[in-house]
Amino acid sequence: MGILDNFEKGLERAVNGAFAKTFRSGLQPVEITSALRRELDTKAAVVSRDRILAPNRFVVRMSHADYQRMANLGPTLIDELTELVQQHGREQRYQFAGGVSIALSDDRGLSEGMVQIDSSTIKGSVTWTPVVDVNGKRYPLTKSHTVIGRGSDADITVDDTGTSRRHVEILWDGSRAQVRDLGSTNGSQLNGSPVKQAILEPDSVVTIGRTRIVFRVIAQAAAGEPIADRRHESPAERHDMGGFWGPSA
């Protein structure tokens, strides 16, 4: 079950004037999905009878307090937001000019509980990058063999006494990944079952000691302009107030 499964169960709430009053504890992930979905529907443009072009780059602005809370959720939040944007695009038959990219931005000009979406359409191709998320940190798999363990000679070092110095390795051949236990003392698990060596499907979970390793293959834009970091802009400098969702003035 993902962070945003409630969205898929119909529990999303439209962002409106009562937004901040309803969620006194601050911005919630499901509210970000609502704002992204609204932004997609608002900005989608009919190019031809069979082509509806939607934005593919998004900057999600929020207050400093909300930004800190969302950043603490780690890369999983961005992954799920990206997946939901792609899913909504498929359902509405939208087309994207390139890979979907979502970035969070700390906007000191926004009050807690408010969110602004800036969107744009950037043409570019998509590349798929294998990564592992380990204890909230993301590591791209840049080698064919990536060793994980508590030893200083491991490619990814974990602070976990329940793991061996060289506990497990992730193998990547350019299109497919495998996990292999390196004769560890306490063994390894794949999706809850003991494993010696097996194929890794996207979103597979490898557990070593108390450490949880999630394997993902993420889409990245291979071309196009990068999203600018606008966190230091003042409210008057925002270029797209149509993407602002929050309490009424």
Side-chain angles (χ1 to χ4, degrees), residues 149-210:
R150 62 181 174 85
S152 59
D153 57 338
D155 298 302
I156 300 174
T157 302
V158 296
D159 184 13
D160 184 346
T161 56
T163 64
S164 299
R165 295 184 60 83
R166 295 171 59 86
H167 194 111
V168 73
E169 69 175 345
I170 308 297
L171 296 84
W172 174 253
D173 65 4
S175 61
R176 188 175 64 171
Q178 295 185 57
V179 58
R180 180 164 64 196
D181 185 90
L182 298 176
S184 64
T185 301
N186 296 326
S188 305
Q189 291 187 333
L190 174 60
N191 298 325
S193 299
V195 64
K196 292 296 185 182
Q197 183 167 347
I199 297 294
L200 276 180
E201 300 292 342
D203 297 321
S204 296
V205 179
V206 177
T207 305
I208 59 173
R210 300 182 305 277

Side-chain angles (χ1 to χ4, degrees), residues 6 21 46 111 118 124 137 144 157 219 230:
N6 285 344
K21 296 178 182 178
V46 177
S111 301
D118 291 338
K137 288 191 63 176
S144 59
T157 302
R230 304 186 181 93

Side-chain angles (χ1 to χ4, degrees), residues 56-57 97-98 121-125 223-225:
N56 62 317
R57 298 291 182 92
T121 299
I122 303 295
K123 186 176 181 180
S125 58
E225 298 178 3

Side-chain angles (χ1 to χ4, degrees), residues 34-211:
S34 298
L36 285 168
R37 184 176 182 180
R38 180 85 63 88
E39 182 74 4
L40 277 170
D41 293 342
T42 301
K43 297 294 181 64
V46 177
V47 178
S48 64
R49 187 176 67 177
D50 300 321
R51 182 172 171 80
I52 304 176
L53 188 64
N56 62 317
R57 298 291 182 92
F58 304 88
V59 177
V60 183
R61 298 187 188 185
M62 62 196 72
S63 71
H64 179 65
D66 287 330
Y67 176 80
Q68 288 185 313
R69 291 171 54 245
M70 295 301 165
N72 286 337
L73 294 176
T76 301
L77 175 63
I78 298 297
D79 292 340
E80 295 205 28
L81 291 174
T82 301
E83 182 178 345
L84 288 171
V85 165
Q86 292 170 334
Q87 179 179 329
H88 185 64
R90 289 193 298 270
E91 291 172 351
Q92 300 302 315
R93 298 185 179 180
Y94 297 154
Q95 295 184 28
F96 301 110
V100 173
S101 174
I102 301 175
L104 305 183
S105 180
D106 182 348
D107 190 330
R108 304 296 177 111
L110 293 179
S111 301
E112 189 171 357
M114 300 175 70
V115 59
Q116 178 183 351
I117 308 294
D118 291 338
S119 65
S120 58
T121 299
I122 303 295
K123 186 176 181 180
S125 58
V126 177
T127 59
W128 296 92
T129 303
V131 301
V132 288
D133 292 340
V134 184
N135 295 333
K137 288 191 63 176
R138 172 159 293 177
Y139 300 89
L141 299 178
T142 59
K143 304 193 301 183
S144 59
H145 296 256
T146 301
V147 176
I148 304 174
R150 62 181 174 85
S152 59
D153 57 338
D155 298 302
I156 300 174
T157 302
V158 296
D159 184 13
D160 184 346
T161 56
T163 64
S164 299
R165 295 184 60 83
R166 295 171 59 86
H167 194 111
V168 73
E169 69 175 345
I170 308 297
L171 296 84
W172 174 253
D173 65 4
S175 61
R176 188 175 64 171
Q178 295 185 57
V179 58
R180 180 164 64 196
D181 185 90
L182 298 176
S184 64
T185 301
N186 296 326
S188 305
Q189 291 187 333
L190 174 60
N191 298 325
S193 299
V195 64
K196 292 296 185 182
Q197 183 167 347
I199 297 294
L200 276 180
E201 300 292 342
D203 297 321
S204 296
V205 179
V206 177
T207 305
I208 59 173
R210 300 182 305 277
T211 300

Side-chain angles (χ1 to χ4, degrees), residues 25-37:
S25 60
L27 188 65
Q28 302 295 321
V30 69
E31 269 57 62
I32 298 177
T33 69
S34 298
L36 285 168
R37 184 176 182 180

